[in-house]
Amino acid sequence: MARVILGVGAGIAAYKACELLRRLREAGHRVRVIPTPDALRFVGAPTWEALSGEPVATGVWTDVDEVPHVRLGQGADLIIVAPATADLLARAAAGMAPDLLTNTLLTARCPVVFAPAMHTEMWEHPATRANVETLRSRGVTVVDPAVGRLTGKDSGAGRLPEPATLYEIADQALSSGTDLRSSLASRRVLISAGGTREELDPVRFLGNWSTGRQGYAFARAAAARGAEVTLVAANVELPDPPGVKVVPVVSAREMHAAMLAEAVSADVIVMTAAVADYRPVTRSEEKIKKDAGPLDPIELTENPDILAGLSARRASDGPDGQVIVGFAAETDTDPGAAKAKLARKGCDFLVVNEVGNGLGFGAVDNEAVVLGSDGSRVPIPRGSKDELADAVLGLAAARIN
Ligand code: CTP
């Protein structure tokens, strides 16, 4: 059970926060709702009190003997503000504290998540952009709003993400803990995910079983730590993680180009993608027909090694302090082979995980050993892909910081 503060700003999307509150309570958390005074125009105090089972106050002059403006923030494990208006972001960025919620934000030492909702023009305004940048640079997570129908006839960026998504973000922020939360604040994290496809003809390809789940778990975990995340995704059928820039690719060569372009400004690079080592020398423009006679053997040529290429480029002209993480899926764990692969790839960490036996591709759980170029060896016990991702990012963050 965690102590969660649900801050509610004065936006029409406040009604969606009722569902988020219900989910947090069902997960066993104690939730104290702190609306801004104007937020009560949208959803009233009795609703919040009945759903949370806790009293609701908006100002600092209620229960003064308990010093709530200090105690609530100090005692919280997580603060999530949903919806956060442009005005509330501005106050938080400036450190202003006219009400109980903004006071609580100033006394909190726990992870803080803002889920903004507003009209597109307000979200794109330079003042709001600067406030979001300021908050992120302090380790606060500001979720990018969803795109879609807004209040009235407008549509665009500015919708509050759905309560299920917000719940997932809150859960992730809680499991990342306090001391590490800011470790990737304002850092750029570049992740590759999925499995590349090498086309033989318009309907066939050489591919692999990668689902992209491990890479998407990295993207969520990095975003929860406040990073600006880019995900180069090869053939993944998963929803885009909130607040993450997704660059879709198909083949190894497309992934290579996208990774090289994005790597220039990345602080951390994680190569989880299963890259095809070979591609057909030629791609037939027409579907290969079986009645066209016996099929010639398919001639293959080697694809670029993206991870080794990124490491080599960093050595010559890469940004200072960039941390590169590779993956090695092995069916038999031979420590000698894994160490040799780490040296060959030139990266800082190699996450060695065994595939098969219910682990790896398509599986829910993962288990790994992280080998470091400094000779370190950190075992990560069997757990979810989110847990594995967060543990590896902890090591990468410690290396940068
Ligand atoms: N990788 C890459 N480019 C390739 C192949 C692999 O960037 N052409 C990356 C993967 O994303 C992974 C790491 O290299 O992070 C190791 O992948 P793996 O397939 O285990 O390594 P290979 O070099 O292909 O070696 P093996 O002969 O064991 O397949």
Side-chain angles (χ1 to χ4, degrees), residues 338-347:
K339 269 194 184 160
K341 192 172 276 186
L342 172 66
R344 196 168 71 238
K345 301 280 182 179
C347 52

Side-chain angles (χ1 to χ4, degrees), residues 1-31:
M1 185 213 59
R3 284 157 306 170
V4 178
I5 288 181
L6 173 60
V8 183
I12 193 129
Y15 74 92
K16 287 192 188 172
C18 300
E19 173 66 15
L20 172 62
L21 168 57
R22 200 182 58 76
R23 284 174 186 258
L24 288 165
R25 293 272 289 147
E26 275 173 5
H29 301 309
R30 196 172 154 186
V31 188

Side-chain angles (χ1 to χ4, degrees), residues 192 194 252 255 270-278 302-310 325-330 341 344-345 347 350-351:
S192 73
M255 175 169 278
V270 187
M271 273 298 298
T272 73
V275 185
D277 289 325
Y278 298 96
E302 203 166 336
N303 269 327
D305 187 320
I306 304 172
L307 177 59
L310 291 168
V325 182
F327 262 72
E330 305 286 344
K341 192 172 276 186
R344 196 168 71 238
K345 301 280 182 179
C347 52
L350 190 68
V351 183

